[in-house]
Amino acid sequence: ESFLPSMMTVSHPVHTAMIALGCGIAYRLRTRLNKWIFVFPGLLLLWAILDHAAYNGQYGLPGWLLHIHDWTGSGYKTKDVFLLMLAGSLVADYWTLNQVRSKLPLLAQESIINPFSEIWNMGEALFRRNGRFAYLMGFYRERRELGFILRYGNEEASGREDRVRERMKIFLGAAAGLAVVLLVAGLWAGMEAYASGGSGDACFACLFDSLQNWWDRLSGFEKGAIILGAL
């Protein structure tokens, strides 16, 4: 909130992309390393939450949390780490593709598969050769998919769609249950406030104020019990 702020946040898109990329890296390295690698995206999630919370509540958070936020770069290092992860992932991906290069189709004067020649060719096709851009983009995408199938096989994709859909139904049901619990609690808190001498004017937003006050008065165990009960 100043010309040279002491902290910043890269916001939701970069945080989400960083965590998703961390999940992909952990999944790809799960066989070379052990399953402890999945701690990595968990740490990225905690870092994103800390960045966001510190920026939104910089005047109300405990001092030790703000100190941890300072140690992690005050929000300024998140984008740099994400870009380094992205660059490393691109290098690893194209290194993998070149391991099976002899089995993949190559364009004229293309001896090594690399992102720079792909971007150059697509840019040239976009501005100089109408109609070729879409075909070229499709070719690169199909070649990349074929390369990874040749390198890793396609077992990891078979049957996963149904499992993911079933798990999403479970998570959506849990989220719906939690929303119902919070709505009922909010209405109950609002009626309680009205019964204790509130004004007779209708104020739907005041219900949420009462809900916040009621939630803040609960202990950590009570909050945990409500969330676990909803799930």
Side-chain angles (χ1 to χ4, degrees), residues 117-164:
S117 62
E118 292 182 359
I119 293 174
W120 176 266
N121 291 335
M122 290 174 65
E124 184 184 30
L126 179 63
F127 293 105
R128 293 188 179 181
R129 303 178 185 178
N130 293 332
R132 188 167 177 255
F133 173 78
Y135 294 108
L136 199 57
M137 183 171 61
F139 168 75
Y140 287 139
R141 182 179 298 167
E142 293 293 332
R143 184 175 69 176
R144 190 176 299 115
E145 183 176 353
L146 175 60
F148 280 102
I149 289 176
L150 292 173
R151 180 66 178 83
Y152 295 107
N154 206 27
E155 293 85 359
E156 67 182 40
S158 60
R160 289 183 61 83
E161 185 177 349
D162 294 335
R163 292 199 299 270
V164 170

Side-chain angles (χ1 to χ4, degrees), residues 173-193:
L178 180 60
V180 170
V181 170
L182 292 178
L183 181 60
V184 171
L187 293 175
W188 176 71
M191 289 186 293
E192 218 182 30

